[in-house]
Amino acid sequence: MRSLRAIIISVALLAAASAVGVTAQADAASRPPIPSVGCGTSEVEAGQHHGSMQVADSHRWWYLHVPPAHDGSTPVPLVLLFHGFPNSPDIIESQTGFGRCGTREGFVVVTPLGRGELPHWNEEEFGGGFFDATRSNADVIFIEALLDRLETELCVDLSRVYATGFSNGAGMTSVLACALEDRIAAAAPVGGLFDFGADCVLDRPVPLLGFHGTGDGIALYEGGFGDWVLDVDIDGVLWRDLPMMDDPALFVPVPDRVAGIAARNGCEPGPTSELIAEGVERLTWTCPEGAEVAFVAAHGDGHSWPGSAYTAADGQKTTMEIDATELIWDFFEQHPMPE
């Protein structure tokens, strides 16, 4: 008998396929790899590695999980995995199990560390306005430098570089989907996606799969933040009093953010809806090929990675009936860079 996970993943894949057609997705998934400059010279062995480098005036760190499939000659996909605030790479790995998935499926996972004593992404939000979704963002500069280095040290498939993250890391994922659309093939923000509206100017639409719990008490489904966040002290200033809190984009309901991204990607309005597990709804837009947008709403869930045994930060439940990591990888597999 097939496992519940296998059944759910199959249903999700069928939903995604309905937007663009099975043939189109099969063609995309079979596109030949684009080898990075490290192919043929890389001697990095499978396993866990740590790395660091100086970027501008900051020393930046990352964790690297290299799968056995990496032989130094055969290009493998790469997934950027971003932790939330104020967490770290080991916590997001515990939440998601992406390293285990990468070992099994044959892709590299790199988990960068954010900035500050309380590690976070997009420092601009603490010191001034909302996220900077451009290449001038210091964290985007870091990620570009990190990709340059990894593509030299590893044998990476440049057509299959992806980004995902949780909470504040979902915000960083959303930034990269705007700022690095020429390098990020697809994105999957969980529990904190954002739409930058007219500030997101793209040369190509980036396929996106989002997740959010309707009962999230931290990054509220209806927009804004819960008291747990608002009472956080950032260098002597409460989160609720930060300048960024004047930005109305923070208070747009999550479904409207996804709809805005779908509109920018050229998708038709009015997504189709289906239940993929008890209390878990998947919305799928009809989009041009290579611009697909889908959203998974976990009804009643809190601030958590669906399918994770990690305790939700706001003390609310997580959906164990679905595995967000598996669904994200399935989505990524179907969305390499267009030829």
Side-chain angles (χ1 to χ4, degrees):
M1 180 178 294
R2 298 175 68 193
S3 67
L4 177 59
R5 176 184 293 182
I7 293 171
I8 292 169
I9 291 173
S10 296
V11 170
L13 286 174
L14 286 172
S18 66
V20 296
V22 174
T23 301
Q25 289 212 351
D27 289 344
S30 64
R31 286 172 185 164
I34 301 175
S36 69
V37 295
C39 293
T41 60
S42 176
E43 297 181 351
V44 179
E45 297 181 350
Q48 297 277 7
H49 306 270
H50 293 170
S52 67
M53 65 179 172
Q54 191 75 16
V55 181
D57 59 350
S58 298
H59 201 68
R60 305 303 300 260
W61 299 80
W62 64 89
Y63 291 7
L64 185 68
H65 185 94
V66 180
H70 182 266
D71 60 11
S73 298
T74 306
V76 297
L78 183 147
V79 173
L80 289 155
L81 177 63
F82 295 97
H83 65 76
F85 167 82
N87 297 144
S88 60
D90 57 324
I91 289 180
I92 190 64
E93 170 56 31
S94 173
Q95 286 175 314
T96 67
F98 248 108
R100 294 189 300 274
C101 185
T103 293
R104 184 179 66 251
E105 301 293 342
F107 60 86
V108 171
V109 180
V110 57
T111 312
L113 178 65
R115 286 180 281 172
E117 184 176 348
L118 300 175
H120 60 274
W121 300 102
N122 298 289
E123 193 168 271
E124 292 74 15
E125 65 175 320
F126 293 160
F130 191 35
F131 290 159
D132 176 8
T134 72
R135 273 186 152 93
S136 64
N137 182 322
D139 285 326
V140 175
I141 292 171
F142 164 46
I143 295 306
E144 282 222 83
L146 175 58
L147 288 176
D148 289 343
R149 176 159 168 173
L150 294 178
E151 289 164 3
T152 300
E153 295 180 348
L154 301 170
C155 182
V156 172
D157 181 356
L158 300 181
S159 71
R160 292 172 170 85
V161 176
Y162 305 102
T164 185
F166 175 60
S167 192
N168 178 235
M172 185 61 193
T173 301
S174 303
V175 166
L176 293 182
C178 283
L180 296 185
E181 82 277 12
D182 58 333
R183 303 188 75 163
I184 302 300
V190 179
L193 69 86
F194 284 101
D195 172 30
F196 302 103
D199 291 334
C200 184
V201 180
L202 300 175
D203 290 329
R204 63 166 280 265
V206 176
L208 181 137
L209 172 62
F211 294 78
H212 209 101
T214 64
D216 194 323
I218 291 179
L220 304 183
Y221 192 74
E222 60 271 24
F225 302 102
D227 288 339
W228 186 92
V229 175
L230 297 176
D231 292 334
V232 170
D233 187 302
I234 303 294
D235 297 328
V237 179
L238 293 183
W239 190 301
R240 65 176 73 248
D241 297 325
L242 292 172
M244 73 164 185
M245 295 301 289
D246 292 332
D247 194 320
L250 290 171
F251 301 93
V252 174
V254 174
D256 293 344
R257 299 177 195 177
V258 186
I261 293 169
R264 185 173 62 245
N265 277 19
C267 308
E268 297 179 10
T272 60
S273 171
E274 69 173 314
L275 205 64
I276 63 171
E278 184 178 355
V280 183
E281 180 185 17
R282 179 169 177 140
L283 302 176
T284 304
W285 280 257
T286 300
C287 306
E289 182 180 355
E292 291 77 19
V293 174
F295 176 65
V296 176
H299 292 279
D301 271 20
H303 196 64
S304 56
W305 187 277
S308 169
Y310 185 86
T311 302
D314 53 1
Q316 299 181 60
K317 72 166 187 168
T318 178
T319 299
M320 300 298 291
E321 290 83 2
I322 66 169
D323 186 328
T325 299
E326 297 288 347
L327 294 178
I328 288 169
W329 176 243
D330 288 328
F331 185 80
F332 285 168
E333 279 194 296
Q334 299 301 322
H335 294 94
M337 280 284 192
E339 289 185 300

